[in-house]
Amino acid sequence: RHGITMVPLNVHLGDQTWRDQVDLTTPHFMEMLAESDQFPTTSQPSAGVFEQVFRELAETHDEIVCVLISSRLSGTVQSAQIAATAVADTIHVEVVDSLNASLGCGFQAMHAQRLADAAERAEAIATTLRTQSNRYHAIFFVETLDHIRRGGRIGKAASLVGSMLKLKPLLRIDEGQVVPFERTRTRRKAIEALVEFAENLSGIERIGVLHNTTPDDAEALYARVAPLARHRTEVPIALVGPVLGTHVGPGTLGLAIEVAASE
């Protein structure tokens, strides 16, 4: 809808590989996850895949702004930077590390599109995104920390404590990495903590809900937090994709929030 090209990350299970949201949807992946006794893994797109996409875009575009999942969660930024160097003689590519993920990255991509529609050049768009990365918040809770522990995306000590106390820990993306934010004991209290987090932020521009298996919870949560935002977002409720779903597991619920730029 916005003319944004996606380069998907990959999910691997056994000897099979799927591209996130291209070959594999979230519902299908969650079914596979429940039925398989193997643990899936993920990988970044290769530099070659990025290079092919950049060259294809060069046929119809003057410049490219590439907004990507945090370099502290994935090697995707590195692949894109290698490809950007390879195509430098053909087209200028600005690679932006969102220091975020899911809709926290998506809001930045949509911001980039609005700037492009206003005739901003790639370098200026990238500079704006880099200097304003702290405008974007992603906070969520998981049913279990096992998936994040196995994927190495959070410290093992936090996983151990969470499992022992059977908590529903709130996690957030801070400076590009997943960190513990708050400990809650039930799903209901975790949802209340999400709402409280949003209520304590000032100047919310856009807000969206993230989930992978609980659409009713997502709808109810959005109804509560939507009035806090100045603008209705184009993506009020977003499905957590298979790649991130590998690391957070089923039952995940969270918020992505864009706040106003500091004066």
Side-chain angles (χ1 to χ4, degrees):
R1 184 164 75 247
H2 296 281
I4 298 172
T5 298
M6 184 186 76
V7 180
L9 279 73
N10 307 301
V11 177
H12 311 275
L13 186 62
D15 58 358
Q16 291 186 280
T17 297
W18 297 267
R19 293 168 296 173
D20 192 322
Q21 302 299 355
V22 177
D23 310 312
L24 184 63
T25 65
T26 294
H28 184 201
F29 171 72
M30 299 315 299
E31 290 176 9
M32 287 171 41
L33 193 62
E35 295 171 359
S36 177
D37 56 1
Q38 293 180 290
F39 190 76
T41 59
T42 61
S43 65
Q44 69 216 46
S46 69
V49 168
F50 272 111
E51 183 175 344
Q52 179 181 349
V53 172
F54 292 161
R55 293 194 184 281
E56 290 173 354
L57 289 172
E59 296 177 4
T60 52
H61 296 78
D62 299 320
E63 299 177 299
I64 297 171
V65 178
C66 189
V67 187
L68 301 172
I69 184 173
S70 170
S71 61
R72 303 186 74 175
L73 298 175
S74 168
T76 303
V77 167
Q78 182 181 21
S79 290
Q81 288 171 333
I82 293 169
T85 300
V87 303
D89 291 341
T90 304
I91 190 167
H92 174 61
V93 181
E94 289 282 349
V95 178
V96 177
D97 182 352
S98 73
L99 295 176
N100 220 302
S102 190
L103 196 54
C105 175
F107 277 162
Q108 294 182 54
M110 288 185 280
H111 185 193
Q113 184 61 52
R114 292 192 294 272
L115 293 174
D117 288 343
E120 291 275 4
R121 299 302 300 267
E123 184 177 1
I125 294 171
T127 297
T128 296
L129 294 181
R130 292 180 187 123
T131 57
Q132 296 182 3
S133 62
N134 61 351
R135 292 178 58 191
Y136 302 90
H137 302 271
I139 183 167
F140 58 97
F141 68 84
V142 295
E143 284 296 321
T144 170
L145 281 165
D146 287 346
H147 293 270
I148 289 181
R149 177 184 58 78
R150 290 185 188 183
R153 295 308 193 271
I154 195 170
K156 293 182 179 179
S159 174
L160 180 62
V161 171
S163 298
M164 286 174 59
L165 300 180
K166 300 190 182 303
L167 300 176
K168 294 288 181 287
L170 255 67
L171 306 167
R172 64 176 297 189
I173 299 179
D174 183 35
E175 296 183 351
Q177 61 182 339
V178 177
V179 298
F181 179 70
E182 186 174 320
R183 297 171 181 173
T184 55
R185 291 192 174 276
T186 65
R187 187 176 182 88
R188 182 183 63 80
K189 290 183 178 179
I191 292 173
E192 293 301 319
L194 288 176
V195 174
E196 184 178 352
F197 177 85
E199 289 174 340
N200 287 335
L201 286 178
S202 59
I204 293 178
E205 293 283 323
R206 293 170 180 82
I207 192 164
V209 174
L210 310 169
H211 82 98
N212 53 12
T213 59
T214 55
D216 291 343
D217 282 355
E219 292 278 0
L221 177 58
Y222 184 71
R224 294 183 64 183
V225 299
L228 301 173
R230 180 181 174 189
H231 301 289
R232 299 283 290 188
T233 177
E234 303 95 322
V235 188
I237 297 176
L239 280 173
V240 175
V243 165
L244 292 177
T246 295
H247 299 289
V248 298
T252 298
L253 188 66
L255 297 174
I257 300 173
E258 176 184 348
V259 300
S262 302
E263 297 295 336

